[in-house]
Amino acid sequence: MNRSAAPWILLSLLLTAALMAAGLRIGSFDTSYALIWKALTQYNSADPAQLVLVQLRLPRLLLAFLAGGGLAFSGYLMQAMVNNSLADPYLIGTASGASLGAIICFSLFNTLTLAGFYLPPVAALAGGLVTTLVVVVLGTQRGQLIPAQLLLAGVAVSSLTTALGGLLTFRSTAEGKLRTVVFWAMGSFERAGWDLLPYPAVALVVALVLFLFLQKDLSILLLGEERAQALGVNVARTRWLLVITASALTGCVVALCGPIGFVGLTIPHVTRWLLGVTGRANLLFCALLGGNFLLACDLLARLLYPPAGLPVGLVTALFGVPFFVYLLRKRDLRT
């Protein structure tokens, strides 16, 4: 297989453009590519069709792309951190903790903004970070991170945070808030808006730039903790950066889109299959591939149940569960 990254990245960018165009075209009313081009180049807010394209469909597609990129990159970092192919933001509790933080915001606060800032991403970041730290502590023995123990701790803590989130949702007395939480918990991009896009965009760009400089440390970390330390890698610092970055990415996505599973599990594997285990281009390609995956899932969700579409979390599960079973059936889960 050709390991050159440039053709794959170019193909991903072309696929992104095609999926964006198809996503803008498909909706509750018929449109044309000529109208799409006009709306993007000569936007007129007085035209209802252009208003829908620019203010509703385009932010939704951009949020789907950023969410997929953030979840995929978060999964890539998680798997590098524990050197285990089953690690992802959901299996080690990051997403469930972020969900709990967001549910606390939705259920208990009368307003979701403070000083111009949208609070759910902040609460989700805090919840994801705290939960991940608890799981890491439970998965560590004598200073050594035990991958199997980490995954088991993640399952246990995820069950606890999911139960707490369900309790808050059950006790919610405001019908509007309850409806918001229920639809959010299925995973969707209905809350997309231009004002919310900077949160996942900034988190993803900062994470990509940071680990483009630390890519060598990530590659060495795959050799194991002892070898990484012998080769001069500050393992503790690198793992702290991995935990914080993955929590921030997952928190932003979960707060805006709800729990969308299996993206962080499947996409890093596909990245390594196509580009090899290590390489600086892996980081960018993983984010692009994750974004395209969620764009395709969102498009499929709208085609299966027009015009509103199915919750995208249901569609990702249709692909992710068989892939997870395949991973479990593999004999070697160390890479």
Side-chain angles (χ1 to χ4, degrees):
M1 179 183 295
N2 186 4
R3 299 287 182 172
S4 176
W8 288 110
I9 292 177
L10 177 60
L11 183 62
S12 295
L13 292 173
L14 293 175
L15 181 60
T16 301
L19 290 170
M20 285 281 188
L24 287 172
R25 178 78 184 272
I26 296 174
S28 58
F29 68 92
D30 292 332
T31 185
S32 64
Y33 289 118
L35 178 61
I36 293 172
W37 178 254
K38 183 178 180 180
L40 296 178
T41 57
Q42 302 175 12
Y43 175 58
N44 179 11
S45 59
D47 185 345
Q50 294 191 40
L51 184 67
V52 169
L53 286 172
V54 174
Q55 298 299 329
L56 295 179
R57 291 188 188 176
L58 185 57
R60 177 191 178 113
L61 293 172
L62 291 175
L63 180 59
F65 182 79
L66 291 171
L71 290 175
F73 192 66
S74 179
Y76 189 94
L77 296 181
M78 289 285 188
Q79 292 176 14
M81 180 180 72
V82 301
N83 197 13
N84 190 293
S85 62
L86 288 181
D88 90 325
Y90 287 81
L91 290 178
I92 70 170
T94 306
S96 60
S99 296
L100 178 60
I103 288 174
I104 290 174
C105 256
F106 290 135
S107 303
L108 303 183
F109 293 173
N110 292 324
T111 178
L112 297 180
T113 59
L114 179 64
F117 288 96
Y118 188 57
L119 291 177
V122 179
L125 168 60
L129 182 59
V130 170
T131 304
T132 305
L133 292 178
V134 170
V135 172
V136 169
V137 170
L138 293 176
T140 303
Q141 283 188 352
R142 300 176 182 177
Q144 297 291 323
L145 193 64
I146 311 300
Q149 184 171 319
L150 182 84
L151 295 176
L152 291 174
V155 171
V157 174
S158 292
S159 299
L160 175 61
T161 53
T162 300
L164 293 175
L167 178 62
L168 288 174
T169 303
F170 179 77
R171 291 181 58 85
S172 178
T173 57
E175 184 179 348
K177 289 184 177 181
L178 180 60
R179 186 182 298 110
T180 298
V181 173
V182 169
F183 280 100
W184 166 86
M186 295 182 184
S188 70
F189 307 117
E190 298 301 327
R191 299 180 60 84
W194 289 107
D195 57 327
L196 300 180
L197 289 177
Y199 294 95
V202 171
L204 181 57
V205 170
V206 171
L208 282 171
V209 172
L210 174 64
F211 282 97
L212 281 175
F213 289 100
L214 296 177
Q215 187 274 330
K216 183 178 179 181
D217 289 353
L218 281 181
S219 300
I220 296 176
L221 196 60
L222 294 175
L223 299 175
E225 184 173 338
E226 294 183 358
R227 291 186 179 181
Q229 288 177 341
L231 292 172
V233 174
N234 189 329
V235 175
R237 184 197 66 181
T238 302
R239 279 186 169 155
W240 272 107
L241 286 173
L242 288 167
V243 167
I244 294 172
T245 304
S247 298
L249 288 170
T250 305
C252 284
V253 173
V254 168
L256 300 181
C257 309
I260 301 175
F262 298 103
V263 181
L265 176 69
T266 59
I267 301 303
H269 285 276
V270 178
T271 299
R272 290 191 293 268
W273 286 342
L274 296 177
L275 300 186
V277 176
T278 62
R280 183 167 296 180
N282 287 30
L283 306 178
L284 177 60
F285 183 68
C286 184
L288 286 173
L289 199 60
N292 287 339
F293 177 67
L294 268 197
L295 280 175
C297 287
D298 182 54
L299 185 61
L300 180 60
R302 285 189 281 164
L303 289 173
L304 290 175
Y305 191 75
L310 294 170
V312 72
L314 301 181
V315 180
T316 59
L318 293 177
F319 294 100
V321 171
F323 189 85
F324 182 66
V325 173
Y326 162 74
L327 290 179
L328 289 177
R329 297 289 296 176
K330 289 180 65 176
R331 292 184 179 181
D332 188 359
L333 292 173
R334 295 174 297 172
T335 59

